[in-house]
Amino acid sequence: MAIWKHIVIPFLAALSVMLAALMPASADSPVDRLSIMTEDYPPFNFSKDNRLQGVSTEIMAEMLKRVDSKLGVADIRLLPWTRAYKLVQSEEDQALFSTTRTPSREYLFKWVGPFVPTVVGVIAKKERHLKIQSLSDLVTLRIGAVRDDIGHLLLQEINMPRSRIEPVLLNGQNYKKLIANRLDAIAYETSVSMYQLAEMGQKPSDYEVIYELQRSALYLALSIKTPDAIVRTLQDQLDAMKKDGTHAAILKKYRMSLK
């Protein structure tokens, strides 16, 4: 019996090791096929000290962690909005946050969210004393917008004359024009605008939202051919984060809530 133990047990142990080595490695997460993009859109997503951060970035990172993805914050590409927006429409396996979900965009993408609430509005200097009573007042202004951004699209939806819209690729150009009075106003997310104006040395209290274009929410937008299983997996994890309080804790860090 002792001889059997000394021969068979070591043999079985060696066999087990050999079989384990021959077994395929655990499958990658289906989410790993995605190319994830974002833009400079503080406080939702932005780069500071060479590190991508922000409330939406933290939400995205936690979702990736929960699906055991090999992807992390370091794999998220920071791109100009116009380029990223075109990629997520034209190529497969692309994902872009933070994207405002609107009726005009509804069938362009598949969606995971909502991440956080958002308000897109027309922002001007208080000293201009601009009062908008109706859309006819709005169309008299020169308004800056980021090309293909939600502010740009919403201006087009209300039939703002093209000659009154000044589209740019990077919103920093708009802020400089607004500060220098080369624009009457800009159309952009209001929290982001106040944050970025402060970063440029401006007092947010010197600016005001003269017209709200839309109240909505920010989402992860995925290429329309993204498998539904991937969309469901990510949505399930976001829902779980909201249920266990993780999502609320992330928003609280940035003084936000879903209300």
Side-chain angles (χ1 to χ4, degrees):
M1 189 66 174
I3 294 175
W4 181 86
K5 286 183 179 181
H6 285 297
I7 297 175
V8 176
I9 293 179
F11 171 77
L12 292 176
L15 182 62
S16 177
V17 171
M18 291 173 61
L19 290 174
L22 292 174
M23 292 290 287
S26 57
D28 292 340
S29 168
V31 174
D32 291 344
R33 68 192 285 173
L34 297 177
S35 176
I36 305 175
M37 304 170 289
T38 191
E39 65 163 333
D40 187 43
Y41 202 55
F44 302 115
N45 22 266
F46 60 99
S47 179
K48 189 173 183 179
D49 301 326
N50 295 317
R51 185 170 66 88
L52 191 61
Q53 48 194 291
V55 58
S56 294
T57 303
E58 291 197 26
I59 292 170
M60 189 74 236
E62 179 65 18
M63 290 164 58
L64 292 172
K65 178 181 176 182
R66 291 187 179 212
V67 298
D68 295 324
S69 174
K70 293 179 180 178
L71 301 176
V73 171
D75 300 298
I76 299 172
R77 293 186 294 162
L78 186 69
L79 299 175
W81 174 259
T82 302
R83 180 183 173 195
Y85 190 68
K86 287 180 179 178
L87 282 172
V88 76
Q89 292 181 82
S90 61
E91 297 187 10
E92 295 183 14
D93 299 329
Q94 305 293 312
L96 174 62
F97 71 95
S98 302
T99 307
T100 306
R101 187 171 183 173
T102 69
S104 63
R105 287 174 168 173
E106 184 65 29
Y107 299 104
L108 296 177
F109 312 108
K110 292 184 178 178
W111 301 92
V112 173
F115 279 22
V116 288
T118 181
V119 178
V120 179
V122 179
I123 301 138
K125 284 185 175 180
K126 285 183 179 178
E127 65 182 28
R128 296 289 306 279
H129 302 291
L130 298 175
K131 302 300 179 185
I132 306 300
Q133 305 296 334
S134 66
L135 291 180
S136 60
D137 296 324
L138 197 63
V139 299
T140 65
L141 304 180
R142 292 172 300 124
I143 302 178
V146 176
R147 191 179 302 278
D148 293 329
D149 174 71
I150 184 60
H152 188 200
L153 298 180
L154 290 172
L155 289 177
Q156 292 175 326
E157 287 179 13
I158 62 173
N159 295 317
M160 185 80 177
R162 286 189 177 184
S163 61
R164 309 306 295 172
I165 305 174
E166 296 191 17
V168 297
L169 294 179
L170 299 173
N171 207 32
Q173 298 169 266
N174 276 336
Y175 293 129
K176 291 177 182 178
K177 290 181 180 180
L178 183 64
I179 293 168
N181 295 316
R182 291 165 54 201
L183 287 172
D184 296 313
I186 61 172
Y188 208 60
E189 209 286 331
T190 56
S191 295
V192 174
S193 293
M194 296 307 179
Y195 182 98
Q196 292 186 322
L197 285 166
E199 289 287 295
M200 297 177 73
Q202 298 292 297
K203 292 182 180 178
S205 58
D206 289 340
Y207 296 81
E208 62 181 341
V209 179
I210 60 173
Y211 190 82
E212 281 193 7
L213 291 167
Q214 184 183 76
R215 285 181 174 265
S216 186
L218 299 178
Y219 283 71
L220 173 71
L222 300 111
S223 303
I224 197 66
K225 292 184 179 181
T226 303
D228 289 338
I230 291 178
V231 180
R232 283 195 302 269
T233 295
L234 289 170
Q235 186 66 58
D236 286 348
Q237 295 308 315
L238 180 58
D239 293 343
M241 288 167 59
K242 292 179 178 180
K243 187 175 182 179
D244 65 26
T246 303
H247 181 265
I250 294 173
L251 266 61
K252 187 176 181 180
K253 285 176 58 178
Y254 293 86
R255 299 178 183 175
M256 295 182 186
S257 70
L258 280 178
K259 295 182 180 180

